[in-house]
Amino acid sequence: MAKKPVVFFLGKSGSGKDTQAELLIKKFGFDFISTGQLLRDFRNRSSGFAANSIERYEADGIKRILEMGRFVPTLTVACQWRFAVLEVTKNFENSTGMVFVGSPRKLSEAMILDDFFQHWPEAEHFVIKPIEIGLSDSEATRRLLTRGREDDNENAIKNRLSEFQEFVLPVIDYFKKDGRLLSVDGERSVDDVYQSVVKVLGLS
């Protein structure tokens, strides 16, 4: 049985990671695991009256981190995606693959995910496919300022680009060193990028 792809989109904010993930899901039926959405959902769900004090404290911390454009701690991230990943691997027969957006954004996250897919029994049916979507700082800034999301302000964008250099580039190097990294040019149209993504993944 051919192994199912686990796609990691690696790129700056504004590089179109979510869009490319959505296109793959629509075409191939991949399971979508968005760390950013999981964190926002937890923040919103756990800020209410029904949440316990620890959940409200963590939700408030996530809110402040997102507003500053900083990266959420690895432990918090791992706690959010672990159930989604376990659910997919548990039902691997019905899965065509997975698409991650928002993870891994640090070397520690990459190593945790790598360890899981190398050692969890059902995870042997999947293979990691990291894809770098290349984008300049200037184009990333332009795109983010025009999309109008609440946490897209100039200071937050500057922080994200700085933390991309500090944290995400080591992840890219990690996958590049053992020849697993796939790369596409993200400066082009959405459709052109998508065609490149499908090509490097060997999909049809």
Side-chain angles (χ1 to χ4, degrees):
M1 178 187 298
K3 292 194 174 185
K4 306 165 193 288
V6 179
V7 181
F8 295 162
F9 279 115
L10 305 169
K12 298 170 184 172
S13 294
S15 61
K17 300 184 293 292
D18 284 5
T19 299
Q20 294 304 318
E22 290 168 4
L23 291 171
L24 283 181
I25 293 162
K26 183 177 180 180
K27 174 67 175 179
F28 301 102
F30 292 164
D31 291 286
F32 184 29
I33 300 176
S34 168
T35 298
Q37 190 59 53
L38 288 171
L39 290 169
R40 286 188 288 271
D41 288 346
F42 177 82
R43 176 196 63 189
N44 296 335
R45 183 177 66 250
S46 300
S47 59
F49 179 77
N52 63 45
S53 60
I54 293 298
E55 288 175 331
R56 287 197 298 272
Y57 174 74
E58 186 174 19
D60 181 64
I62 290 173
K63 180 177 184 292
R64 286 182 283 117
I65 290 169
L66 293 176
E67 287 174 347
M68 291 186 293
R70 300 195 180 280
F71 286 179
V72 176
T74 298
L75 178 61
T76 300
V77 171
C79 286
Q80 293 305 311
W81 57 247
R82 74 188 190 281
F83 290 119
V85 175
L86 287 169
E87 186 64 30
V88 175
T89 56
K90 181 179 70 174
N91 298 293
F92 70 89
E93 300 97 335
N94 299 318
S95 175
T96 55
M98 294 182 229
V99 178
F100 272 79
V101 172
S103 289
R105 297 175 77 184
K106 298 178 185 176
L107 185 56
S108 55
E109 292 177 19
M111 296 176 74
I112 288 171
L113 286 166
D114 229 1
D115 183 66
F116 177 85
F117 284 101
Q118 287 179 21
H119 297 102
W120 191 260
E122 288 81 8
E124 67 182 11
H125 300 284
F126 297 84
V127 59
I128 289 175
K129 297 281 186 178
I131 301 178
E132 175 191 11
I133 302 180
L135 192 70
S136 66
D137 284 0
S138 59
E139 179 62 12
T141 301
R142 185 193 69 79
R143 292 183 183 183
L144 292 172
L145 288 174
T146 57
R147 74 181 183 180
R149 207 170 71 185
E150 181 182 352
D151 53 351
D152 285 333
N153 56 72
E154 291 189 6
N155 188 56
I157 291 170
K158 183 178 179 180
N159 284 335
R160 284 187 213 140
L161 292 175
S162 175
E163 293 197 338
F164 174 85
Q165 297 291 326
E166 182 177 356
F167 296 110
V168 182
L169 281 183
V171 176
I172 291 172
D173 290 339
Y174 173 76
F175 290 117
K176 185 182 294 183
K177 285 178 181 178
D178 63 9
R180 285 185 289 172
L181 183 70
L182 307 170
S183 299
V184 299
D185 178 5
E187 299 271 347
R188 300 165 300 151
S189 70
V190 169
D191 186 63
D192 285 344
V193 174
Y194 173 69
Q195 295 303 324
S196 294
V197 167
V198 171
K199 184 177 180 180
V200 297
L201 286 174
L203 302 171
S204 58

